[in-house]
Amino acid sequence: MTPSSASPLSSQRDTFRAVAMSVVPETAELDVAQWEEAERIVARAIAARPSRVQRQLALLLRCLEWIPLLLYGHRLSRLDSARRAKFLDSLQTSRLLLVRRGVWGLRTLVLMGYYGRPAAVAAIGYRADPRGWEARR
Amino acid sequence: MSEAHAYDIVVIGSGAGGGTVAQELAPLVRDGVRILVLEKGPRFADQEFTGRELEMAEALYQDGGAFLTRDGTMTLAFAQAYGGSTVVYTGTSLTAPERVIRDWGIPGLEHADLAARSAKYADQNNVHLLEEPLINDNNRLFVEGGRKAGYRVEQFPVNVKGCRGSSLCNLGCPNQAKQGTNRVQLPRAERAGVEVVTRADVRSISPDRTLRVRIAERPAGAKGAPSEWAPGEHVVQARMVVCAGGAIGSTTLLLRSPLPARLPCLGRGFTCHPALILVAEHPHAITNDVGHPKSYFVDRAEAERFVLETCMYFPFVTAKSLTGFGPSHSAIMRAFPRLQMILILACDHATGMNHIAVDRAGDPVVHYSLTDDTMEGLVRGTRAAARIFFAAGARRVHAPADPPLIEAREAGRLDERIAARHFRPGTVAISAAHLMGGCGMGRAPADSVTDVWGRVHGLPWLRVADASLFPDSLEINPYLTIMAVADRVAEGIRRDVRDLLAAPLEAAHA
């Protein structure tokens, strides 16, 4: 399943990926199939939220994409990684709770998409197993 | 067209409260009393507990464990399953502190009584201290670091039987070792003739004691058995109703029900032990994602308003709990085999502003803000956890700080490095799983929702039997106390049941 056309991810994939590469730099190494896997996880989580929240996410992604044009002369998805990180960091520490919340929520989705994949779990060395101690012998 | 049913006693919820009440009332079935338990979540088969993080979180928790408070700055975790949240806790089973029960100041609620009832369930659910060989490095380092840092470290009694150390307790034990109500009280109740219907969402309780119940269809490919009843709308006529859907479930249900009683305190007094996960990196790999995750704690509730507990979470929960993003965040995640974790719980107090409400659809809305006192508890707890990490030999600690990585050489500057300004809402991952209050017990409608036996003021046929009864924070892990309080509620029902079942329906309203 790929994100449906109604998903904020389908219309703003470039923005989402730009944010993802700042949040988890390792995402820059993901191939097409791995990106799809991460975005499937995120799309599923978004689909389970009320439509109001989905609209808010779409709006947030649009704002994130275009506000840097005013600040840096480039859209978020065209910014270099240093300025992208600086921009997101400024939002994360914004005086406005609404802005902080929005960035926090988006960051959470990125982390879910990345660390929700078995390959990422293995890559960080997480080895929990239902067999517990027996699996370590 | 709704399907109609009739029962003498309907228990709503099957967790620590509902499961206990179901077991304690089950002997009444022999006398012809018809008892039904309605549980919103499904009944899972043993093999469905895979330990896979996102899959199990989605199956077991409301909103996948990410139910947000009204302002979106804190997540609340509560399960929906046969066994309620006892399916997903770590089995930690403590008796309520005498000081806390005394401070609650409820006439007729004695600590000795709760302690005796807690002991009954500790025995019934195999509560004991884990043997030394089952303790992993994550826990050993907490003991070692805690003692070196000058704290009194205590071992958690846990309710496990045959624990294999999967470390996956919060995703439902894949080895059926945890003795929640799904393993002990509910099966006993069912064997005695109590009926349990799952996927049953009780939408309202009417003044004539009919319950409007929506049975959810099992979604295609979802975990859990289909409901015992046909999907769709059902009406259940009850003579007595016991709400045990947890602080949020019970409070929300009563708020959206047209009850013929004035209950000005309904929804008030919500507390939750706001919590923060802290991680530290050691120079070498430790056993952390194997073994029981929560074996020790430091209780500083009375003096400093925090409790520290060992913990070990899963990759996504860990990632979202860390402050910030980017290379430093990734570096800590890549150090997973070397990570030690501590959970900091702040001991909050009931305030006028923190409460449970419902939206227009009747769904829960939890209003919660951290008070200065609670925030200070979190900050002090974070500093204490950092001290323990460094005393245990950690190389660096990741905490709400700027920058978030605190190196061992900075261990002497923790008060400066970790400050309240770093805990701004929306920048730290605060979550809570000990949800309490909303239907507090007390003397009269002016100060509470129920009396000391869980009887809703003015409605003797309506009882509450879960953590929503707590008039203030318990300051420890609540499950054993919920069972003790539910045991009292069941005793009160057994005492009153003959009169209530004999009375004509309309006479029992007031």
Side-chain angles (χ1 to χ4, degrees):
Chain A
M1 183 184 100
T2 51
S4 76
S5 56
S7 166
L9 284 195
S10 62
S11 56
Q12 282 143 309
R13 179 171 288 111
D14 289 351
T15 313
F16 179 79
R17 289 189 180 186
V19 172
M21 284 188 275
S22 289
V23 172
V24 185
E26 290 90 333
T27 54
E29 309 300 321
L30 295 182
D31 63 25
V32 174
Q34 289 168 324
W35 268 117
E36 280 179 4
E37 185 184 11
E39 286 169 354
R40 263 200 308 275
I41 292 168
V42 175
R44 187 179 166 93
I46 295 171
R49 300 308 243 176
S51 53
R52 173 180 51 85
V53 175
Q54 296 182 34
R55 284 194 301 274
Q56 287 169 348
L57 178 64
L59 179 63
L60 173 68
L61 284 168
R62 269 197 294 276
C63 292
L64 290 180
E65 177 66 8
W66 291 103
I67 289 172
L69 187 65
L70 302 173
L71 300 173
Y72 306 107
H74 295 285
R75 294 154 53 180
L76 184 82
S77 53
R78 305 282 189 272
L79 274 185
D80 61 77
S81 60
R83 281 191 291 183
R84 205 169 55 218
K86 188 178 167 195
F87 171 64
L88 290 173
D89 189 57
S90 71
L91 297 183
Q92 185 185 235
T93 54
S94 165
R95 284 182 173 189
L96 298 173
L97 174 61
L98 190 68
V99 175
R100 295 200 301 273
R101 253 179 60 184
V103 174
W104 188 267
L106 188 55
R107 164 194 182 275
T108 301
L109 286 172
V110 168
L111 295 170
M112 177 189 280
Y114 185 78
Y115 290 107
R117 297 172 314 114
V121 168
I124 60 170
Y126 178 75
R127 296 193 295 157
D129 187 299
R131 293 168 296 159
W133 292 107
E134 190 187 316
R136 301 291 169 95
R137 290 188 190 117
Chain B
M1 176 99 179
S2 302
E3 200 172 321
H5 312 262
Y7 289 85
D8 295 310
I9 303 174
V10 176
V11 181
I12 302 164
S14 69
T20 299
V21 169
Q23 173 189 268
E24 293 304 309
L25 297 184
L28 297 173
V29 174
R30 280 199 306 265
D31 303 331
V33 177
R34 296 157 302 163
I35 304 175
L36 172 70
V37 175
L38 294 170
E39 165 55 52
K40 191 175 179 186
R43 196 188 288 253
F44 295 101
D46 292 350
Q47 67 275 12
E48 290 183 297
F49 293 97
T50 61
R52 288 194 279 271
E53 184 178 11
L54 298 186
E55 174 186 309
M56 292 312 305
E58 184 183 315
L60 289 164
Y61 290 92
Q62 171 79 34
D63 293 348
F67 179 92
L68 285 167
T69 51
R70 177 71 181 84
D71 73 359
T73 59
M74 184 164 74
T75 54
L76 306 179
F78 51 104
Q80 291 172 345
Y82 175 89
S85 289
T86 71
V87 176
V88 297
Y89 69 155
T90 45
T92 51
S93 305
L94 294 173
T95 303
E98 198 274 337
R99 166 185 60 83
V100 171
I101 303 306
R102 190 180 58 239
D103 288 351
W104 283 2
I106 303 173
L109 186 70
E110 301 297 332
H111 178 262
D113 177 63
L114 288 182
R117 293 176 198 267
S118 297
K120 168 182 161 183
Y121 290 97
D123 182 53
Q124 208 170 93
N125 291 42
N126 201 44
V127 172
H128 65 289
L129 299 177
L130 274 186
E131 302 78 7
E132 170 66 22
L134 295 175
I135 305 297
N136 66 13
D137 294 340
N138 185 50
N139 281 280
R140 278 198 201 96
L141 288 166
F142 181 82
V143 176
E144 191 184 311
R147 287 178 183 155
K148 276 188 192 164
Y151 293 104
R152 179 167 172 259
V153 182
E154 299 174 74
Q155 188 170 2
F156 269 120
V158 291
N159 69 355
V160 296
K161 192 182 277 182
C163 175
R164 296 173 70 186
S166 74
S167 82
L168 299 165
C169 311
N170 294 128
L171 301 176
C173 180
N175 303 309
Q176 299 81 53
K178 189 166 48 193
Q179 302 299 295
T181 57
N182 57 323
R183 298 283 162 206
V184 182
Q185 282 74 27
L186 290 168
R188 285 185 188 177
E190 288 194 276
R191 282 196 295 274
V194 171
E195 288 179 50
V196 179
V197 172
T198 55
R199 298 189 190 272
D201 182 13
V202 181
R203 299 306 301 167
S204 66
I205 304 168
S206 298
D208 64 357
R209 287 178 275 169
T210 56
L211 279 59
R212 201 161 58 77
V213 182
R214 192 172 297 155
I215 299 291
E217 194 154 4
R218 177 180 179 273
K223 286 177 183 289
S227 176
E228 294 75 2
W229 287 358
E233 303 293 326
H234 293 248
V235 173
V236 179
Q237 177 71 62
R239 299 184 72 88
M240 286 194 79
V241 178
V242 184
C243 292
I248 293 179
S250 289
T251 306
T252 306
L253 172 59
L254 296 188
L255 280 168
R256 64 177 179 239
S257 296
L259 296 173
R262 196 174 160 273
L263 300 168
C265 292
L266 185 57
R268 302 278 155 192
F270 175 75
T271 59
C272 61
H273 299 157
L276 197 62
I277 300 166
L278 217 61
V279 307
E281 183 185 345
H282 281 266
H284 51 80
I286 62 171
T287 48
N288 54 14
D289 54 8
V290 61
H292 186 272
K294 195 179 288 294
S295 309
Y296 290 91
F297 67 104
V298 166
D299 183 351
R300 297 293 300 160
E302 185 174 12
E304 298 192 86
R305 310 302 301 156
F306 69 81
V307 173
L308 305 181
E309 301 182 349
T310 50
C311 66
M312 179 49 57
Y313 290 98
F314 322 104
F316 165 57
V317 168
T318 303
K320 77 171 178 173
S321 300
L322 299 174
T323 300
F325 60 80
S328 66
H329 182 283
S330 287
I332 281 283
M333 288 304 292
R334 283 197 305 272
F336 211 99
R338 300 191 298 280
L339 295 187
Q340 183 188 354
M341 286 192 202
I342 296 176
L343 184 71
I344 300 132
L345 298 110
C347 298
D348 52 347
H349 274 308
T351 69
M353 62 185 176
N354 293 335
H355 66 280
I356 302 168
V358 289
D359 62 17
R360 272 189 284 183
D363 292 326
V365 179
V366 177
H367 298 260
Y368 193 91
S369 300
L370 294 170
T371 63
D372 290 347
D373 184 51
T374 307
M375 179 67 86
E376 282 168 24
L378 267 183
V379 174
R380 278 193 293 263
T382 303
R383 289 173 183 153
R387 274 183 216 111
I388 290 174
F389 283 137
F390 286 129
R395 172 192 283 172
R396 53 188 178 169
V397 171
H398 191 286
D402 187 18
L405 284 176
I406 303 172
E407 302 294 333
R409 64 174 181 279
E410 301 177 278
R413 297 201 299 129
L414 292 177
D415 287 359
E416 181 190 327
R417 289 287 274 116
I418 299 168
R421 67 179 182 279
H422 301 128
F423 289 69
R424 281 206 305 172
T427 62
V428 284
I430 297 176
S431 60
H434 299 168
L435 315 182
M436 300 166 277
C439 303
M441 51 186 160
R443 298 178 178 86
D447 67 17
S448 55
V449 176
T450 82
D451 70 6
V452 74
W453 294 94
R455 268 186 295 242
V456 174
H457 296 305
L459 301 170
W461 54 269
L462 183 58
R463 311 287 165 112
V464 178
D466 56 32
S468 67
L469 288 171
F470 296 0
D472 202 350
S473 158
L474 188 64
E475 304 188 6
I476 56 156
N477 306 55
Y479 293 96
L480 204 55
T481 309
I482 298 171
M483 297 180 91
V485 167
D487 189 73
R488 279 176 63 87
V489 175
E491 183 183 316
I493 292 171
R494 286 197 305 270
R495 202 168 47 218
D496 300 344
V497 72
R498 291 293 152 218
D499 291 343
L500 280 164
L501 296 188
L505 278 175
E506 60 278 13
H509 287 173

